[in-house]
Amino acid sequence: MKKKDLISITDYTKDEYLRIMELSREFEQNPNQDLLKGKVIASLFFEPSTRTRLSFETAISRLGGRIVGFSDVGSSSVSKGETLHDTIRMVSNYADLIVMRHPLEGSARYAAEISSVPVINAGDGANQHPTQTLLDMYSILKTQGTLDNINIFMVGDLKYGRTVHSLLMALSQFEKPVFNFIAPYELQMPEEYKIYLQEKGIRYFEHPEFNEIISEADIIYMTRVQKERFSDPIEYEKVRNVYILRNQMLKDTKPNLRILHPLPRVNEIHNDVDANDKAYYFEQARNGVFAREAIITHTMNLK
Ligand code: CP
């Protein structure tokens, strides 16, 4: 049987998105299931992470599996000059599945080509973060009751923010989404994603600010300006404080509005938003455990 990697969100069909939603709900109701008994999962993080790594490792533990790997390349032989190719060849001898985060775009696809076991992309540079997208979709489904007709505002770093790229492509498979992009000039949504929407006949709008227009939003998806992707710190300083969501901006918004953020945040959501019932980012991170239990069991044909 062909191995089932998850490298880009487009590796899954719409039916598979819906299957992951169904399984996520099942795991939320019953998170502890011994489906990975006897299995070893490699967790290879070449780049820092809190939520993705810990929620994957929680998901594996709740499924009864064992974890090998590293969260710091300094503790691996990569620090001695070992290539990604050789690292993946080795680890696929040891584990039944590889979860990998790496700073280079395309690295996850490359790893999947080398590996004899399935690879799940836990983020490759500014490219894709498909497991974040599936937990975002689960969060949207839970809060809106549907994935159709969603009016979503994506705010912040739309150039380097890999989560918005994956989410845009996934929501485009559902009925009549409307995308609103709010980003500094330097960090606008890349042309390739706008062309993708144009070719599918999906509406999108670009706005210079969002204070006056968020009353239409079902979802506001805030993102952090990705400091680590800037080569010039002066360029980062110019854009880091442009869009900040504050509680008083939410007073005339729709009752169903929910604020999502893949986290970590820096200052783009003021702390005064946290107590608002429309703030959903911490629950969103919690949903990551159930979505990742779903993704792992789907990838390994265990459900
Ligand atoms: N959302 C997300 O990817 O967070 P981490 O970088 O902490 O994994």
Side-chain angles (χ1 to χ4, degrees), residues 151-175:
N151 189 332
I152 183 165
F153 284 57
M154 295 177 160
V155 183
D157 185 348
L158 306 187
K159 179 179 179 185
Y160 297 118
R162 56 195 171 199
T163 64
V164 289
H165 303 159
S166 302
L167 185 57
L168 176 152
M169 294 175 101
L171 280 180
S172 298
Q173 305 307 310
F174 293 85
E175 288 298 312

Side-chain angles (χ1 to χ4, degrees), residues 45 47-55 101 122-123 129 131-132 135-136 162-163 221 224 228 261-264 284-285 292:
F45 278 73
E47 216 185 31
S49 167
T50 297
R51 275 145 296 274
T52 310
R53 186 172 68 81
L54 294 181
S55 63
R101 170 172 289 188
H129 193 352
T131 67
Q132 176 72 44
L135 81 86
D136 292 343
R162 56 195 171 199
T163 64
Y221 194 98
R224 173 180 68 92
E228 63 275 29
H261 190 311
L263 303 178
Q284 178 188 358
R292 288 177 171 123

Side-chain angles (χ1 to χ4, degrees), residues 55-118:
S55 63
F56 259 116
E57 295 185 2
T58 304
I60 294 161
S61 301
R62 291 204 177 279
L63 292 168
R66 278 171 293 176
I67 302 154
V68 295
F70 52 80
S71 55
D72 171 12
V73 283
S75 66
S76 77
S77 285
V78 173
S79 63
K80 300 178 206 161
E82 187 163 45
T83 61
L84 180 61
H85 176 278
D86 289 2
T87 305
I88 297 298
R89 275 288 299 263
M90 289 309 309
V91 174
S92 64
N93 288 334
Y94 303 149
D96 300 295
L97 170 74
I98 295 174
V99 176
M100 185 182 92
R101 170 172 289 188
H102 197 284
L104 285 183
E105 295 173 31
S107 53
R109 184 70 70 198
Y110 178 66
E113 282 165 13
I114 294 158
S115 174
S116 55
V117 299

Side-chain angles (χ1 to χ4, degrees), residues 18-66:
L18 294 172
R19 177 68 181 143
I20 297 295
M21 300 301 105
E22 190 183 347
L23 287 174
S24 301
R25 190 175 299 280
E26 209 180 285
F27 283 118
E28 181 163 9
Q29 284 158 3
N30 181 14
N32 299 319
Q33 301 186 34
D34 252 0
L35 296 163
L36 288 181
K37 197 167 171 9
K39 303 282 187 202
V40 176
I41 314 295
S43 166
L44 308 183
F45 278 73
F46 294 81
E47 216 185 31
S49 167
T50 297
R51 275 145 296 274
T52 310
R53 186 172 68 81
L54 294 181
S55 63
F56 259 116
E57 295 185 2
T58 304
I60 294 161
S61 301
R62 291 204 177 279
L63 292 168
R66 278 171 293 176

